[in-house]
Amino acid sequence: MAVEFDLHADPGEVPAADRAAWAAVDVELLGRLAEHVLRRLHVHPDAELSVAVVGEEEMARLHVEWMDLPGATDVLSFPMDELRPGTPEEPAEGTLGDIVLCPPVARRQAEAAGHSVADELCLLTTHGILHLLGHDHAEPDERRVMFALQRDLLTDFLGRPAPVETME
């Protein structure tokens, strides 16, 4: 799996209040998590995923531009080839797409949920990948399915119960 990260912040430019949130961005851990999720969902090993990590200002701009909603959000997903989970016999092939994470929003959500920022970023990465693969949570049944799969994938990867979902 090709998982590429692009951190849109210079450490010297990150506001003091956000430094701990940015420090929790462990691209090695999140890369291993993404590969785990994609393997479990039978996405072809040649599939490509891009993860951008941005500040609140950039996330707010993207949120308005693509969702027509104000303010920064935690994660956005931009599917490319509209892949769906494959099977062991026929893995899904193509370019998965991009997810965008916002550490300052993740920090607030982690504090509200009572878990670490690293756990929240793992949860958001998994959540974003599931959106790239066609999952949604607009309806109660969709939410039940998506969040159960999200918990299962995270529990398996972390080797302990998954962090509680947060919705800002």
Side-chain angles (χ1 to χ4, degrees), residues 49-119:
L49 169 66
S50 174
V51 181
V53 185
V54 303
E56 284 190 83
E57 190 175 302
E58 187 171 353
M59 183 60 101
R61 183 186 63 73
L62 291 169
H63 201 208
V64 167
E65 182 178 340
W66 293 99
M67 303 297 290
D68 202 24
L69 294 170
T73 190
D74 51 4
V75 61
L76 288 172
S77 299
F78 299 97
M80 295 295 282
D81 289 343
E82 297 188 21
L83 296 183
R84 297 298 179 259
T87 65
E89 300 78 26
E90 202 172 320
E93 292 187 60
T95 300
L96 196 54
D98 305 322
I99 62 174
V100 183
L101 302 171
C102 185
V105 175
R107 178 189 49 79
R108 289 194 299 274
Q109 290 181 171
E111 289 170 357
H115 55 247
S116 70
V117 178
D119 273 0

Side-chain angles (χ1 to χ4, degrees), residues 1-2 38 41-48 83 86 90-94:
M1 314 269 158
L38 297 174
L41 297 177
H42 308 291
V43 175
H44 196 277
D46 291 336
E48 297 175 21
L83 296 183
E90 202 172 320
E93 292 187 60

Side-chain angles (χ1 to χ4, degrees), residues 17-41:
D18 294 338
R19 287 191 186 127
W22 280 88
V25 178
D26 181 342
V27 296
E28 184 179 311
L29 173 71
L30 296 176
R32 286 194 326 267
L33 169 63
E35 290 171 357
H36 169 79
V37 169
L38 297 174
R39 254 191 324 276
R40 282 272 316 268
L41 297 177

Side-chain angles (χ1 to χ4, degrees), residues 33 36-37 39-41 126 148-163:
L33 169 63
H36 169 79
V37 169
R39 254 191 324 276
R40 282 272 316 268
L41 297 177
T126 304
L149 179 56
Q150 180 174 285
R151 272 184 236 108
D152 177 57
L153 292 164
L154 275 170
T155 296
D156 186 42
F157 177 76
L158 296 171
R160 59 179 165 79

